[in-house]
């Protein structure tokens, strides 16, 4: 039996999602809580790996059990009591054997938050960047970005992938107020470090230190060394992971008896 876990986390204290040999990860912490609750080793597979310091408002992972299990509200509450306060399980629901947290996902949607003002309450949850940014120019850069599919220039050089193509659904900057900007981007897949490098490069454009013509040349070069610095991890959020309706049907119908 396969079950999807819907969760969120603040990534500040973690060395990313994936289990690490030299630091605490979200995956290791979640698996430890499940192992403690079930009394046997438990392993999970996520929709994708977030980097160290990156947050998730919505993340999915799947876990497999030998027999059907009733995930009641009280059981999920007990798991959340075991987990640290910066990781929260929202639901656990049954899916079909072929449904996969990573490979069944149709899109990932990220947001990057920038604020000109320091906040006592948003520390670690936004990029405090004082210079004024021209979001009109940055949105022109987004239009250029959407005309392309190969984003090797924004991927870390050590990325272990077979290709660098991604299907972008949208990319745009939103002015929240005079001191806050949010970058929205959704794609079928993302390369390692891609969103933060795009943001870092567009910040150069927003400061009028890089032209739109040069930005397109960087994309066409497929050379990471020509792009800007990656923006800090603390402003990045995974906000939504999309699946076909039939995958999430059990979730929309409630926990039920935990069987399909």
């Amino acid at each position: 039996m396969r079950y999807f876990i819907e969760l969120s986390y603040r990534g500040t204290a973690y060395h990313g999602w994936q289990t690490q040999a030299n630091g605490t990860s979200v995956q290791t912490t979640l698996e430890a809580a499940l192992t403690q609750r079930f009394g046997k080793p438990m392993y999970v597979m996520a929709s994708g790996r977030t980097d160290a310091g990156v947050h998730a408002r919505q993340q999915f992972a799947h876990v497999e059990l030998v027999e059907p299990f009733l995930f009641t509200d009280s059981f999920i509450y007990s798991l959340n009591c075991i987990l640290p306060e910066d990781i929260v399980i929202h639901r656990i629901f049954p899916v079909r054997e072929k449904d996969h947290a990573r490979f069944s996902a149709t899109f990932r949607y990220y947001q990057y938050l920038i604020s000109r003002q320091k906040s006592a309450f948003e520390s670690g949850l936004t990029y405090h960047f004082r210079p004024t940014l021209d979001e009109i120019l940055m949105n022109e850069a987004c239009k250029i970005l959407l005309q392309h599919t190969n984003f090797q220039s924004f991927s870390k050089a050590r990325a272990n992938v077979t290709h660098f193509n991604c299907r972008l659904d949208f990319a745009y900057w939103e002015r929240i107020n005079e001191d806050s900007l949010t970058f929205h981007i959704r794609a079928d897949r993302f390369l390692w470090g891609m969103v933060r490098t795009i943001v870092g490069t567009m910040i150069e454009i927003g400061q009028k230190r890089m032209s739109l013509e040069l930005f397109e040349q960087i994309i066409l070069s497929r050379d990471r060394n020509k792009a800007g610095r990656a923006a800090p991890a603390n402003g990045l959020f995974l906000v939504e992971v999309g699946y076909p309706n039939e995958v999430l049907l059990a979730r929309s119908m409630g926990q039920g008896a935990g069987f399909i």
Side-chain angles (χ1 to χ4, degrees):
M1 291 293 297
R2 180 169 289 181
Y3 293 84
F4 268 29
I5 303 170
E6 184 180 356
L7 70 152
S8 58
Y9 50 85
R10 175 176 174 146
T12 307
Y14 301 96
H15 289 243
W17 165 268
Q18 189 175 21
T19 298
Q20 304 286 327
N22 59 348
T24 303
S25 71
V26 179
Q27 179 182 6
T28 300
T29 306
L30 177 60
E31 289 175 344
L34 290 166
T35 295
Q36 179 179 336
R37 191 64 180 82
F38 278 97
K40 58 183 178 181
M42 302 290 286
Y43 305 98
V44 299
M45 167 65 70
S47 68
R49 293 172 284 185
T50 51
D51 288 343
V54 175
H55 320 291
R57 290 199 178 102
Q58 184 185 66
Q59 171 70 288
F60 285 95
H62 73 243
V63 63
E64 293 186 344
L65 300 174
V66 175
E67 297 178 353
F69 188 84
L70 177 60
F71 285 100
T72 62
D73 288 342
S74 60
F75 187 90
I76 293 173
Y77 173 79
S78 70
L79 281 172
N80 280 322
C81 288
I82 296 171
L83 288 165
E85 292 186 354
D86 50 11
I87 301 177
V88 177
I89 294 176
H90 301 291
R91 298 171 190 83
I92 304 178
F93 56 95
V95 293
R96 299 165 300 183
E97 184 180 355
K98 68 178 182 179
D99 295 328
H100 193 283
R102 178 182 175 188
F103 298 122
S104 296
T106 55
F107 68 80
R108 285 87 173 167
Y109 171 24
Y110 282 89
Q111 292 178 357
Y112 193 95
L113 282 56
I114 297 178
S115 177
R116 296 187 69 239
Q117 299 295 333
K118 183 178 179 180
S119 171
F121 303 102
E122 295 179 354
S123 176
L125 297 174
T126 184
Y127 179 27
H128 178 212
F129 186 80
R130 186 64 183 168
T132 301
L133 296 172
D134 186 337
E135 76 271 16
I136 295 176
L137 273 177
M138 295 159 79
N139 273 319
E140 289 299 314
C142 287
K143 293 178 183 178
I144 294 172
L145 194 73
L146 290 168
Q147 295 173 8
H148 296 272
T149 56
N150 186 299
F151 300 104
Q152 185 172 355
S153 296
F154 303 116
S155 174
K156 289 186 179 180
R158 294 182 289 112
N160 183 22
V161 294
T162 57
H163 66 88
F164 296 90
N165 294 325
C166 306
R167 182 210 71 227
L168 294 190
D169 297 326
F170 56 72
Y172 63 93
W173 288 89
E174 178 186 15
R175 171 67 66 179
I176 306 302
N177 54 51
E178 63 180 12
D179 291 322
S180 300
L181 275 173
T182 298
F183 179 56
H184 303 261
I185 187 166
R186 196 179 87 172
D188 60 337
R189 66 192 286 262
F190 285 94
L191 306 169
W192 186 16
M194 176 176 164
V195 179
R196 291 168 54 201
T197 306
I198 289 174
V199 170
T201 306
M202 286 194 178
I203 284 175
E204 296 290 309
I205 294 171
Q207 295 179 90
K208 300 181 181 178
R209 296 169 58 179
M210 178 186 294
S211 68
L212 294 172
E213 292 76 17
L214 179 56
F215 179 66
E216 184 155 37
Q217 289 174 21
I218 289 170
I219 297 172
L220 294 172
S221 74
R222 302 183 181 181
D223 184 351
R224 172 63 185 89
N225 294 321
K226 294 185 177 179
R229 292 187 305 170
N234 54 284
L236 184 58
F237 291 77
L238 173 62
V239 297
E240 185 182 1
V241 183
Y243 292 95
N245 290 334
E246 56 269 24
V247 175
L248 300 179
L249 180 62
R251 184 186 65 162
S252 64
M253 294 175 63
Q255 297 295 327
F259 299 98
I260 52 174

